[in-house]
Amino acid sequence: GLGFMTSPIRLTELATAIGAAIVAPSSVNIAAVEITGLASLDEAGPGQISHLSSVKFRPLLAESQATAVICAERDVGSCPGIALQVDNPYVAYAKATQLFRQPRCLEAGIHDSAVVHPSATIDASACIGPGVVVGADTVVAARVQIRANTVVGDRCNIQEGTCLMSQVAVYDDVKIGAESIIHSAAVIGADGFGWAPDENGHLHEIAQLGGVTIGDRVSIGAGSAVDRGALTDTVIETGVKIDNLVQIGHNSRVGAHTVICGSSGMAGSTRVGKHCVLAGRVSIGGDGPITICDRVVVSVGTTVTRSISTPGTYSASLPALPHAEWMRNAASIKRLAKLVKQVTRLERRLNDE
């Protein structure tokens, strides 16, 4: 889609904001150029900027109608118009999108339909939307936005500039850092999944006595769940980005600036290091707690059942194949154990000779 601003921004101001050097034909009066929106290379038109962040989109550059393109030095000469030269086009593009975002502003104050416990502390600049519930002894700091029908439990602490979108459930004893965002239908602090079987196989609940601690600048996607700890807190460190429909088990810890993509899940007491990437549908769990060191990438659909102590990329899923080919391969898999025994016998026979 196309991103349009409510009012134009001068190209020089935009370049300063994203740390770009402007490279333009001598006939262009750079000081007079205004930008009204942002779009992809093939959809951008006059007045808009675009970006070239991957070589696979390079064929689109020559025909782009964008007024300016964010790109690396190697692509400046191929730009048909103005180039915004940066070291990292994707990061510069991310910064540019912030200039085009429509602000998610509510009026400061507490909506008449909100229910706020008398012992709660709400900063005067915070926005408490319609139908919101805020529990006892909870602290809501400056510029926090809590949108319609969100529930925040007792003894919570929400720091400056954080936004809880509509219909988020924040249970008791949850701490959320500054400038974070939690999207709709996320559940923060529900009971961890803990049950003790007795001699008759009946399951007895293990009370979950911990809470959840979330750092600064964390993003948690729609429908995701972060369970409370059994004794100590489940911890999501600063800068973590969690996609939609992700499950974080109780007492887990996710290291700073790690990315967890959609439909992934981890069992309780998992430890994920800093600057990791868990691609979509990654599952983590085994006989004991799993620890993943810093700077690990786990590919889509991979199941991790043992700890990982060496940085790198780990994969354990199969790409799609035509059905008939897959069936032939699956039939071969059934014979693998027999084939291994046959090869072992042949090796022994050769060694004996």
Side-chain angles (χ1 to χ4, degrees):
L2 305 180
F4 290 98
M5 302 187 70
T6 54
S7 59
I9 182 173
R10 291 190 181 277
L11 180 68
T12 50
E13 295 176 14
L14 187 147
T16 299
I18 67 174
I22 301 174
V23 181
S26 57
S27 59
V28 176
N29 181 6
I30 294 173
V33 177
E34 293 186 331
I35 301 298
T36 58
L38 184 149
S40 60
L41 281 170
D42 56 341
E43 293 184 346
Q48 295 183 304
I49 65 166
S50 189
H51 68 106
L52 176 58
S53 302
S54 171
V55 294
K56 64 184 178 182
F57 295 112
R58 190 172 287 155
L60 301 175
L61 180 59
E63 302 298 325
S64 180
Q65 299 298 307
T67 291
V69 176
I70 301 168
C71 63
E73 182 179 6
R74 64 177 178 271
D75 295 309
V76 167
S78 302
C79 273
I82 299 170
L84 297 174
Q85 180 183 320
V86 294
D87 292 332
N88 188 327
Y90 201 49
V91 171
Y93 158 68
K95 293 177 180 179
T97 63
Q98 300 298 322
L99 303 175
F100 293 85
R101 171 184 278 174
Q102 299 298 318
R104 299 188 179 106
C105 290
L106 300 174
E107 290 186 8
I110 301 172
H111 193 275
D112 291 343
S113 64
V115 178
V116 178
H117 193 277
S119 64
T121 302
I122 311 294
D123 188 274
S125 64
C127 308
I128 309 298
V132 167
V133 177
V134 179
D137 300 315
T138 284
V139 176
V140 177
R143 300 181 291 103
V144 167
Q145 294 185 38
I146 305 180
R147 293 185 167 253
N149 300 319
T150 284
V151 177
V152 180
D154 299 340
R155 300 177 301 281
C156 293
N157 190 307
I158 304 175
Q159 290 298 303
E160 292 85 354
T162 283
C163 178
L164 308 183
M165 301 302 285
S166 61
Q167 298 183 324
V168 170
V170 178
Y171 283 51
D172 300 342
D173 302 302
V174 170
K175 297 181 282 293
I176 304 174
E179 307 296 340
S180 293
I181 182 167
I182 300 179
H183 289 279
S184 296
V187 179
I188 311 299
D191 283 353
F193 197 65
W195 304 88
D198 64 19
E199 61 277 5
N200 298 314
H202 298 167
L203 298 174
H204 299 264
E205 181 182 6
I206 300 171
Q208 304 296 295
L209 306 178
V212 174
T213 297
I214 296 172
D216 299 339
R217 301 181 302 283
V218 170
S219 176
I220 297 178
S224 290
V226 181
D227 289 347
R228 70 192 310 104
L231 296 174
T232 57
D233 286 3
T234 301
V235 177
I236 310 296
E237 295 183 6
T238 288
V240 169
K241 312 303 180 188
I242 297 175
D243 198 0
N244 300 337
L245 301 173
V246 170
Q247 163 67 21
I248 308 294
H250 62 184
N251 291 108
S252 291
R253 188 180 194 99
V254 179
H257 309 292
T258 280
V259 174
I260 304 177
C261 299
S263 298
S264 294
M266 61 185 67
S269 299
T270 296
R271 297 288 185 270
V272 178
K274 298 177 172 60
H275 303 284
C276 292
V277 177
L278 307 183
R281 207 167 45 79
V282 164
S283 302
I284 302 175
D287 291 337
I290 303 295
T291 296
I292 296 176
C293 68
D294 296 348
R295 299 187 183 279
V296 165
V297 177
V298 183
S299 298
V300 62
T302 297
T303 298
V304 180
T305 59
R306 295 182 180 179
S307 293
I308 297 173
S309 58
T310 304
T313 300
Y314 294 79
S315 303
S317 57
L318 296 175
L321 295 170
H323 180 69
E325 185 178 352
W326 165 252
M327 292 300 291
R328 288 194 298 271
N329 289 342
S332 299
I333 290 171
K334 292 181 180 179
R335 306 202 312 272
L336 277 179
K338 183 178 179 180
L339 289 170
V340 169
K341 289 181 180 178
Q342 290 175 340
V343 170
T344 301
R345 284 198 298 268
L346 289 171
E347 288 177 337
R348 287 174 180 169
R349 187 178 302 171
L350 289 170
N351 290 334
D352 291 341
E353 294 176 355

